[in-house]
Structure formats: C-alpha cells, structure tokens
Amino acid sequence: MKNEEKNLSRRQMLQMGLGFGGLAILGGSAFAQTIERIVTPEVGMGPFYPMLKPLDKDADLTSVKGQKGVAAGAIVHVAGRVLDTKGNSVKNAKIEIWQANSYGRYSHQSDPNTAQLDPNFQGYAVLKTDNEGRYRFKTIKPGAYPISPTAQRPPHIHFDVEGKANRLVSQMFFPDEPLNEKDSLFLALRMQSAKNAVLAQKMPPENEIEKDAMLLNWDVVLING
C-alpha cells in the first residue's frame, strides 16, 4: 500500500478529532479529560465472523495479495481513535474488522445469501492503534443483505476491539442509510445517544484519497481503555 494510503494528513486528523468523538485529538490534555464520553454500545458479533481467516489481513481490503483485480464497490476510508471514557488514547489496541462485500455477501460457509462472492475483496483485517490511539483502513461499502423475506440488514462493518483493560464487539453503521431505522439491532439501541455512538460520521473529501471515495470517522470508546 502506498504511503499516502497509510497515513492521514494532519489536517485530516484535526478534522476527525473534532468529529463524533469531540475533541478526541486533544487526547491526554486536562481539558479533554473533563468530557465523559459515551461508551460504544455492544452490538452482536453475528454469525459470519471468519473462522478461517485469510492470509492477507492488512489495512487495504480492496485488493488481495497475489491477485491483480480490485474489489467491486464504492471505496471507503475509515479512520478514528480508540479512547477511554476520559478521552485518553488507547495505544496498541487490537482491532479485527470483517464485513460483507459490495453485493451483500460474506466469505463464510454459513452465509445463505446467493449473491456473488468477490475474489478480489479481502473482507477481513487486523489492525493496531498507534501511540495516539489512531487506526485507519481502506475498504468498500458493504451491500445490504436479506435476513428474511421482508427485512434487510443495512450496510455495516463489524469491529472486535481489544484494549489494555476492555474488549468490545460492535458494529459501525453508515450515516444517512434508510435501512438503519428498520434494523432490529440498530433499533435495540433505544437512546439516540447510543445510536449516534454506532454511526460513523462522514468527513469532507480530501486530496489524499481517491476521487469519489468516502471518508468516514468512527471513534471507539472503551470504559477503561
């Protein structure tokens, strides 16, 4: 992966720090620590956690090592921080992510969806946060998929985050998706603040990413980090 895909510019980090996590970029400052953040809600792991993990687990899910193709779908860059409720950065947190491809299908034996698989989509990654608790990855927007004759799950990305004291399994939802308000897992988060906590925030486009790519910020808040 090119260097410009690996690293966020300072301007991007400042914008993201002033996103949903509010003043997160100030991390260890006394002022930032006066703000109690809402713990990211638990949202079920679901049945499609990859038991057979791919060999390619890097932060670019849009391609698979050894293959020339590129994953189908709209490119999305997701970046954020892992924090505790006092705003302290959680460095070296392990983050596992997995998701459906752009057709709404997981690369999992138990997925009953008949949509096509995408051989160029990695579908899974393992990340580590840096000293400021930051993470970033590049992927495609997952497709919605049916769970019954009358219901669909909205686009979402699964996260399993292990900090120094806490572990959290949750799902990141995409903003402005009509299916969110019909999703049983999203609706189970009855308080609006909890719903806001699982919604990524769309950020202004930057020159560092591909034209027409989406840039999202999502901070994960653990109780004690």
Side-chain angles (χ1 to χ4, degrees), residues 31-166:
F31 180 66
Q33 292 180 26
T34 65
I35 302 171
E36 282 289 323
R37 287 162 174 76
I38 296 172
V39 175
T40 302
E42 293 269 358
V43 182
M45 181 176 280
F48 305 128
Y49 174 80
M51 302 305 293
L52 295 174
K53 299 175 177 62
L55 295 177
D56 191 359
K57 304 174 186 179
D58 68 10
D60 185 354
L61 284 74
T62 65
S63 63
V64 177
K65 288 179 181 177
Q67 297 181 192
K68 296 181 179 180
V70 177
I75 294 176
V76 181
H77 290 259
V78 181
R81 299 180 72 197
V82 178
L83 308 164
D84 65 19
T85 54
K86 296 185 182 300
N88 298 308
S89 304
V90 182
K91 66 179 181 179
N92 295 322
K94 178 185 176 183
I95 304 175
E96 288 184 89
I97 56 170
W98 65 99
Q99 63 169 91
N101 64 24
S102 63
Y103 309 112
R105 185 170 175 182
Y106 291 85
S107 181
H108 194 287
Q109 288 182 328
S110 299
D111 189 353
N113 194 353
T114 57
Q116 69 188 79
L117 289 169
D118 185 346
N120 298 310
F121 181 55
Q122 189 172 297
Y124 172 83
V126 179
L127 315 171
K128 283 276 192 179
T129 58
D130 67 11
N131 288 338
E132 299 298 323
R134 296 174 296 197
Y135 73 90
R136 180 180 180 175
F137 62 94
K138 176 183 174 182
T139 187
I140 52 87
K141 184 177 180 181
Y145 56 86
I147 54 173
S148 77
T150 59
Q152 285 185 301
R153 289 237 51 214
H156 60 280
I157 298 177
H158 298 264
F159 278 66
D160 183 354
V161 183
E162 288 186 49
K164 62 180 184 292
N166 304 119

Side-chain angles (χ1 to χ4, degrees), residues 161-178:
V161 183
E162 288 186 49
K164 62 180 184 292
N166 304 119
R167 180 180 178 185
L168 174 78
V169 175
S170 193
Q171 296 177 24
M172 186 199 85
F173 290 76
F174 284 68
D176 305 318
E177 288 291 332

Side-chain angles (χ1 to χ4, degrees), residues 1-9 12-13 136 208:
M1 186 165 54
K2 296 179 180 178
N3 289 336
E4 58 266 29
E5 291 176 356
K6 291 182 179 178
N7 300 307
L8 291 173
S9 68
Q12 283 177 303
M13 282 299 181
R136 180 180 180 175
E208 287 88 348

Side-chain angles (χ1 to χ4, degrees), residues 200-221:
Q201 184 178 45
K202 190 173 182 179
M203 305 301 292
E206 289 288 338
N207 293 332
E208 287 88 348
I209 67 174
E210 300 84 354
K211 184 180 179 182
D212 299 326
M214 184 185 299
L215 178 61
L216 296 177
N217 177 50
W218 194 55
D219 291 342
V220 177
V221 180

